[in-house]
Amino acid sequence: MMNYKRYKLREEIMIRSLVTCYYYELSKTFKYSGEKHNFWELLYVDKGEIEVETDSGYYAIKQGDLLFHEPNEFHRLKSNGKIAPNIFVVSFVCNSNPMAYFANNKLFHLGDYERSILAQLMKEGLDAFGPNPTDSSPKVLSFKKEASFASEQLFKISLEAILIQLIRKEQKTKHEKALSTSTRENQAIHFSEKIIKYLEENLHKKITLDHLCAEFGIGRTQINIIFKKTTGIGLIEYVNQLKIDHAKIYIREEAYNITEIAELLGYSSVHYFSRHFKKATDMTPSEYSKTLKAHTFV
């Protein structure tokens, strides 16, 4: 007989025990003085609205919202005097480390998938633990003898499932934001590379910011922000530096005179080119050429 190795399943969140599970239909004038206890509690608003005050703040919770109270946190609630709310309250013991995610009054507005899990949780709770109370006073939880097969276990699984799903949803959101940021950064880099290639191929022209905006179909502010973020330098500053770098190459190669270089780089006059070159290098083009010759070894 082949000896198969058993794989032990990991459980990230384990509900140890249940304290309460109630569905309340409250009046629009309902008030509860409050409590604190050493176990977790979730409050789901199935219909209407309810106001909750805690150690850390005040919450106006609407239909579809789910609020968590961590152990030993004081909380009290009341109706808003306008709408009679229906709320689903579950308190439970769970010492799993990921539960730290729900600390500090984590409030969620549930999507369709999360609401479907909550609906299963409420269904199994009603089936497993008896009739709903007619008031808000605490009652000892007991299991119904006539409950459907494994309803208590399905309740536990559904409760763990909603906790897991909420953590997963947060992680997915963070991952999508990171991917979105990475995609935007890659797009910005690609866009800047296209601009640089265009500049390299059109240095003989007089390049202005308006001309580049028209060429790439983008606004002045946006093109500057994108280009500076990816290159560390402003767009016009980059154009000017690029012209100077090419001017130095032309001078070193001695293929053109100063007038021809000015024309090749799109300057309106030799005078303007020389003034620009000196501002960038502290030397005129002629002075730069002389320094090159002085460094020639024979």
Side-chain angles (χ1 to χ4, degrees):
M1 178 182 290
M2 186 177 293
N3 185 21
Y4 288 96
K5 184 177 180 181
R6 269 60 171 173
Y7 178 81
K8 185 177 180 181
L9 294 171
R10 288 175 293 177
E11 294 183 89
E12 302 293 348
I13 290 182
M14 294 176 286
I15 305 297
R16 296 298 185 186
S17 56
L18 196 62
V19 183
T20 63
C21 172
Y22 295 127
Y23 188 98
Y24 295 108
E25 297 178 354
L26 304 173
S27 72
K28 67 178 183 180
T29 58
F30 166 78
K31 287 185 180 181
Y32 179 56
S33 58
E35 63 178 350
K36 62 187 299 185
H37 41 65
N38 62 351
F39 42 82
W40 287 92
E41 181 177 311
L42 69 79
L43 165 67
Y44 176 67
V45 178
D46 191 37
K47 295 178 182 178
E49 302 175 5
I50 199 160
E51 298 175 357
V52 180
E53 185 180 347
T54 73
D55 288 333
S56 59
Y58 165 85
Y59 300 86
I61 309 177
K62 299 182 179 181
Q63 182 175 340
D65 287 348
L66 177 66
L67 180 68
F68 283 87
H69 299 301
E70 62 187 295
N72 299 312
E73 175 193 73
F74 177 79
H75 51 281
R76 61 183 165 203
L77 62 161
K78 65 176 182 176
S79 300
N80 61 12
K82 301 176 182 177
I83 304 173
N86 290 12
I87 63 172
F88 179 55
V89 179
V90 178
S91 54
F92 57 95
V93 176
C94 182
N95 298 319
S96 302
N97 290 333
M99 286 300 297
Y101 170 72
F102 298 101
N104 300 317
N105 300 116
K106 275 284 187 175
L107 176 63
F108 302 88
H109 185 75
L110 303 189
D112 291 340
Y113 182 61
E114 292 83 26
R115 284 200 299 271
S116 70
I117 301 176
L118 246 299
Q120 178 72 18
L121 186 67
M122 289 190 286
K123 176 180 177 298
E124 297 301 330
L126 178 60
D127 190 17
F129 304 115
N132 299 322
T134 56
D135 56 50
S136 63
S137 59
K139 292 177 173 58
V140 177
L141 201 64
S142 60
F143 186 69
K144 285 171 62 177
K145 292 181 180 180
E146 66 275 21
S148 301
F149 172 74
S151 58
E152 188 173 345
Q153 184 176 358
L154 271 179
F155 180 90
K156 174 183 182 294
I157 291 170
S158 298
L159 180 53
E160 291 172 340
I162 190 65
L163 299 173
I164 291 168
Q165 175 58 24
L166 291 173
I167 293 175
R168 276 188 173 187
K169 190 175 182 179
E170 174 76 6
Q171 291 175 339
K172 182 181 178 182
T173 301
K174 287 181 179 179
H175 180 63
E176 288 174 347
K177 285 181 179 178
L179 286 178
S180 177
T181 300
S182 177
T183 300
R184 287 197 301 270
E185 288 175 351
N186 289 335
Q187 289 174 340
I189 291 170
H190 179 66
F191 182 66
S192 295
E193 288 173 347
K194 286 177 64 177
I195 294 174
I196 291 171
K197 182 180 179 183
Y198 177 84
L199 295 177
E200 293 275 3
E201 295 172 350
N202 292 274
L203 272 182
H204 61 285
K205 298 179 181 178
K206 183 180 179 182
I207 300 172
T208 65
L209 189 57
D210 287 336
H211 173 79
L212 290 171
C213 290
E215 179 68 27
F216 290 95
I218 191 172
R220 292 168 63 94
T221 301
Q222 191 176 5
I223 197 172
N224 262 321
I225 290 173
I226 293 173
F227 193 84
K228 189 166 186 177
K229 187 174 182 179
T230 54
T231 64
I233 186 173
L235 186 49
I236 296 304
E237 185 181 355
Y238 185 90
V239 172
N240 292 336
Q241 186 58 53
L242 193 61
K243 286 180 178 285
I244 295 301
D245 290 343
H246 277 69
K248 289 179 179 180
I249 293 172
Y250 290 146
I251 293 170
R252 290 201 302 271
E253 291 176 347
E254 297 183 341
Y256 307 99
N257 61 38
I258 301 301
T259 300
E260 290 171 331
I261 292 173
E263 292 176 355
L264 283 169
L265 295 174
Y267 287 97
S268 57
S269 68
V270 176
H271 174 72
Y272 180 60
F273 166 58
S274 296
R275 188 172 63 183
H276 183 211
F277 192 94
K278 185 169 185 178
K279 183 179 179 180
T281 66
D282 289 328
M283 292 181 284
T284 65
S286 298
E287 289 170 342
Y288 178 73
S289 178
K290 289 177 183 178
T291 61
L292 296 175
K293 293 174 180 177
H295 294 154
T296 301
F297 293 93
V298 295

